[in-house]
Every structure is written in C-alpha cells, then in structure tokens.
Amino acid sequence: MSDKIDYLLEDIETITPSPEFVAASPVPTDLDERAKADRLGFWAEQARDLHWHTPFTQVLDWSDAPIAKWFDDGELNASYNCLDRHVLAGNGDRVAIHWEGEPGDTRTITYAELLGEVKRAANLYESLGVTAGDVVAIYMPMLPETIVAILAAARIGAVHSVIFGGFSADSIRQRVEDANAKLVVTTDGSFRRGKVLPLKDTVDAALDGGGASVEHVLVVQRAKNDVSITEGRDLWWHDEIAQVSDEHVAKAFPAEQPLFILYTSGTTGKPKGLLHTTGGYLTQASFTHRTLFDLQPETDVYWCTADVGWVTGHSYLVYGPLANGATQLMYEGAHDFPDLGRWFELIQKYGVTILYTAPTAIRSYMKTGRKIPEAYDLTSIRLLGSVGEPINPEAWEWYREVIGGNRVPVVDTWWQTETGAVMISAIPSQTSLKPGAAQKPVPGIVVSVVDEQGNRVDPGEMGLLTITEPWPAMARGIYGDRERYVETYWSQFPGRYFAGDGAGVDKDGDLWLLGRVDDVMNVSGHRLSTMEIESSLVDHPFVAEAAVVGATDETTGQAVVAFVVLKQSQADKIAATDPVSDLRSHVAKDIGSFARPREVHIVDELPKTRSGKIMRRLLRDVADGKAVGDTTTLTDSAVMSAISSGMAQGS
Ligand code: 6R9
C-alpha cells in the first residue's frame, strides 16, 4: 500500500519575507525558541499581555484531562480586555469598527463609543435578570450591535451562543433548547443581496411551541421590516438601551468562566456545542491574531470576511482584534452585491492592510477572472490570510499575485472550532512561505502527524494530525456531553487530540494539511487525498473549481469521481476539445495513473455549506447512485437537484 505523497519530498520553492516587511514587524523573533525552552512559561507570558483583575499563579491544570484548566486561579473580564483597557490607555479615540451596510450606509465606532454601548447593553441584560452563567443566544447579521451583544454577555459573565444568521427556525430551537438560553438577541431583518431576510420571524417560528427557557427577545432595528412583537417577551433594543446608564463596572470572573458555546456539525446529525472559557481562549486568540497577522494596531486596517456566526468570526473578528486594539472593517452584506467588485471596492475605500478570507472565496474570484480585482487599487494590502479549507497552491499563488500584487505574504492558518484559535501557520515575518502549506505549529503548540497506530510518520508519508499537548484555547468539552467529547476527539489516540484531518510532513519538516480524513480515498491500495486531486484539476487551465470524492468501486475499493466547474472565460477553447477526457489524462499525468478519475462530471456549481465548505458527503451519495442525504445546511439545495438530474441523464 502506498502512503507516499511524492511532492512532499520534492524541492519546493519558497518565498522569503521582504527585508522591509521583516524590519517593520513588531513580532519578537525568539517566540519559538522561548516556547520550546519553557512551553507553559511561554503561554503564561502571553496571558500576562492581558489585564488580570487577579493575577494567576497556576498555568495549566490537566488533572481532569481532557478538560483543561488554564490560569485557573486568575480572574479577568473579557470585555474589559477588549475595551476598557484600551480606553484607559488613551486609545479611546481609535476606530474599533468601520462598518459598512450592504446598502452603502456606514458607521465609524471608536473604542470609547463601543465601550459605552457595551456598558449600556450590560446594564440592559442585568435589568432583564441575566446573570453570570446564563446563556444569551444571539441570532444576528453582521452589525455593530452583534459585537455589542456578544461583549455585553461576556462583561457580565453570561455565556453567548451565537447562531449563524442563515440557520433555520428548527436549528435555532435546537440550539436554544440544548443550552437553555434565557435571552435571545436578534434583528427585525437583515439585508442580503438587496432583499430583507426576516430574522425576527424566524426567531418567532423557533420559539413557537419551543424554547421555553427564553424569557425575553431583544430586537435590534435594522431593516425596518414589519415584525410581530409578543407583549411581555419581546423588547426593542433601541427603546431599552435608551433607558439604561452607560456606566458599568466590569467585574472580575474566574479564568475558567464559560465564555461561549458554538455549535458545529460533526459526523453525526446532532450539532456539537463546543464550550470555550475565558482566560486561555482570550490569550491564544489575541496572541495568534497579533503574531500571525503581524499586527500594527496604530496603522493597520484589518478585515476578516468571516461571519460572526462561525468560529473565525468569534476569534478573529471579535476577541482577537479587539483584545489587540485593532481597527477593523466589518461588512454586512454579500460579496457580490451590487456586483463582484464590492469586496475590492471596500478594500480600496478603507485602505485595508490585512485581509483574512477563505479559499472558496479566492477560487470563486479566480473563476470570474482577475479583471474584477484589477479594476481597484489594492496597494494598501500588506498581508493576506487564508482559513477554512486547504488552500491549493494555485489558489494561493493567485491570491498573492492578483490580490497581493505579488509582494505580500500569504499565511494559511489551520485550526478548528474545537481548537478555538489558530494552531498551525507561518509567521509572516519569520517563515519562508510555501504555497499551499500551513507549515508550522504556532509557538507553544505541539502536534504530531501519526499513522493509525499512533506512530509518527516519516516525511512524505500521509498521516493523521494529532495535538499532543493541551493548549490554552482548546474547547472545554461539548456542552452537556463530556462523553461525546472524549469519544470524538480523545479516544482514537488516548491522551492526544485527534483533529480528524489528514496531514503530511515534507522534507523540510513543514506541515501540509490534506483535508478531512473522511475525504481520503483508497484506490487499489493507493491512498489518495481528495485535496491532491482537486489541486491537480484546478491546475488545469479550464477548471475554476473542483470537488473529488471516493465512490465505491467493486474492483478498486474506491474510485475517484470528480465534479468540476469550468471557467467561463475559457468557453471557446473548451468547446474545441473533449474536456472530460482531457481532465482525466491531466490528473493521470500530474499525480499518477492510479489517480486518474473514473468519472469527471461538469457541473454549474458545487454544493457548499453556508460557511463555504464543499459538501463532499452529498457528492459521494450522487457518485454512489444513492439518494442524496440531508441538504439543509447547503446555501442552495437546488444545486444538488441539478447535479443529481445531470448524472441521471449521463452528463
Ligand atoms: C477555522 C475553521 C475546521 C476544519 C478543519 C479542517 C478545515 C480549516 C484549514 C483547514 C486546511 C486550513 N480547515 N482551516 N484545512 N487548511 N488552513 O474553519 O473551523 O469551521 O470548525 O472547520 O476546516 O478540515 O478540521 P471549522
């Protein structure tokens, strides 16, 4: 059986950081050295960058593994760290948020103003009887009030559970009930591609006959669409906020005070509510944010395009940037409204210097062509980040060349809802970059790529990513279900965290993330990464996007089945050839004949979750000729019907 990934043993050209970038970088050069010499001491030092009401004396308590306690005897307040301390340090006039609504309305909010809003909201929550440990569910679009609602919960020691604004009433009910939420914060509606999405109606449907724990629903007015108000339960945010004081003293809470629950889908149908606590989470979120993005808080304009409803929004739109006193852009709407230039127009308008986005967005711009970004001035950008999926080298190169003007570093950051903050990434001022690789564990993080028996694999071998030492931002379990947490992550390799991702180490010792292991195929005894074949397909000039799955095959065990979206700009050339046979040969030539796709299906669109991940599970069903499974988390379930009916007609 071949476990080799040949390209990991080849010479790969790296891109060294420019001398100007290195010279200007505020990131200490000895982080890794210090972390290796004294790992816990290193994290303690990072934690001391925060404000502690009561300093901690203990660093890690692992006696109740795998539920860690970090900085356990210390006390702090997350909201104080994100707001008060910047204002007290004289930075109250610094812009915290440049907000732009989809229709083009804008708001500029300084740290002092944001603090005032959060104090009022904290008073409002308290007046509604919300106290430390209570759960506040937040079903909101990308508004400044969403950040206010989150930080107000943190300020009083309440636990927020943000539910992505695209979720259905059933999903809201399930989450509200799982956590016994006492308060729900929502909006009347939100703007999306020029239409109003009626969020409050969805909350009403969720609470109709369910969610008995909910005492109040606070409604932020945004779209001014009609909503029904349930007397005694529902309150307008603006009415209530006007009646409370903007004085509020942040109390100290224990380091292990629960900060939030965030649900993520696992391999089973029931979403898992990952629980995160305060001190360790905030330490690692802020440390990674300032280190991996080379943050210069006085001058940078940072933009994370993730929705606040996902973990990336939590750590790199709320806690990381605000704890570091950064100035950031927050955009309410769709990337393609009113046209595909919107993101680039925003970068130009606000002078964005750091952009953090997902490969799927990059590939969709590759598909529509470089003309769109090239029409804007993107020279303010000095750093690019990627997250959410493996980034294929072609997308990495395109991102750097077209968005980064061929001059800026690109950091590929690997992490998960479970890990709370980035775990694997280059440090842009210190690492020679390799297109397509996440490269290095963050200082203070220890990982090991192992085989199924738990033995470390050699360079060039395919393995499984494990994390061998506890880390500050790690989840403190699945809310209310310790067993499931242990079973899902800590039982395959006892004593270690198993991420569910495949990985390899190259001859220089750099890490390559190869996608979920459930996406690994075994074809005639050859282990193949879906990612590797996708990357090869995307390398072909005709292909904009590709998804590969392992279909069941009587002879070879599994067979490679590819779904590809072709580039509109190449239509003339494509018409003159046989693209399916071209692509099959291309992969065979690129990787080896064993990797030649059994089938290549040309489709108009790939099925994606609302967070932009390709739903390979659904494509596998189609490839296996099975009924297509649950499509409720797709952005557009019509995509699957189109693909299935195309297959039935033998496309
Ligand atoms: C942050 C986030 C986690 C899963 C993870 C992995 C994939 C995320 C990645 C990446 C390769 C990267 N993933 N970042 N794969 N390279 N840089 O996305 O969290 O939504 O929980 O997803 O996403 O497969 O296991 P989450």
Side-chain angles (χ1 to χ4, degrees), residues 262 264-265 274 310-312 316 356 359 386-391 411-419 421-422 424 436-438 497 499-502 512-519 531 611 613:
L262 186 58
T264 184
S265 45
L274 273 312
W310 307 115
V311 76
T312 305
Y316 298 103
Y356 191 33
S386 173
V387 62
E389 294 173 78
I391 180 163
V411 287
D412 174 21
T413 62
W414 179 91
W415 60 295
Q416 308 176 298
T417 305
E418 294 84 345
T419 70
V422 177
I424 303 175
Y497 175 84
D501 277 48
W512 292 70
L513 276 305
L514 302 168
R516 303 292 304 188
V517 280
D518 19 28
D519 296 331
M531 180 54 205
S611 64
K613 289 191 175 56

Side-chain angles (χ1 to χ4, degrees), residues 116-143:
E117 302 260 323
V118 169
K119 285 179 169 177
R120 281 184 188 276
N123 284 325
L124 171 55
Y125 286 1
E126 283 178 339
S127 76
L128 296 175
V130 179
T131 57
D134 286 341
V135 174
V136 178
I138 299 174
Y139 182 67
M140 302 266 285
M142 294 283 277
L143 298 178

Side-chain angles (χ1 to χ4, degrees), residues 363-372 398 540-544 565-575:
R363 289 194 297 261
S364 87
Y365 288 119
M366 284 173 82
K367 180 170 139 190
T368 46
R370 62 175 67 206
K371 275 215 178 71
I372 298 167
W398 192 92
H540 191 284
F542 290 172
V543 177
V565 181
L566 297 177
K567 282 185 189 152
Q568 286 143 11
S569 56
Q570 301 291 311
D572 291 350
K573 284 190 201 141
I574 294 169

Side-chain angles (χ1 to χ4, degrees), residues 481-602:
D481 198 346
R482 182 177 175 131
E483 268 317 297
R484 189 175 173 200
Y485 180 67
V486 173
E487 169 64 28
T488 312
Y489 305 102
W490 297 88
S491 59
Q492 181 144 350
F493 303 106
R496 298 185 199 176
Y497 175 84
F498 172 47
D501 277 48
V505 181
D506 69 18
K507 67 188 181 65
D508 307 320
D510 280 336
L511 291 158
W512 292 70
L513 276 305
L514 302 168
R516 303 292 304 188
V517 280
D518 19 28
D519 296 331
V520 170
M521 297 165 290
N522 191 325
V523 181
S524 305
H526 298 289
R527 275 171 72 162
L528 298 173
S529 155
T530 50
M531 180 54 205
E532 198 182 350
I533 301 176
E534 286 170 9
S535 181
S536 167
L537 285 165
V538 176
D539 198 20
H540 191 284
F542 290 172
V543 177
E545 263 197 296
V548 166
V549 297
T552 315
D553 186 282
E554 261 179 31
T555 322
T556 57
Q558 280 187 307
V560 179
V561 175
F563 296 83
V564 297
V565 181
L566 297 177
K567 282 185 189 152
Q568 286 143 11
S569 56
Q570 301 291 311
D572 291 350
K573 284 190 201 141
I574 294 169
T577 59
D578 175 1
V580 168
S581 116
D582 275 3
L583 292 174
R584 293 183 66 230
S585 325
H586 169 79
V587 174
K589 202 163 139 261
D590 204 8
I591 302 176
S593 54
F594 57 87
R596 184 195 306 270
R598 185 182 74 185
E599 295 158 34
V600 172
H601 299 282
I602 294 167

Side-chain angles (χ1 to χ4, degrees), residues 134 143 155 172 357 360:
D134 286 341
L143 298 178
R155 193 171 186 87
I172 300 171
T357 192
T360 187

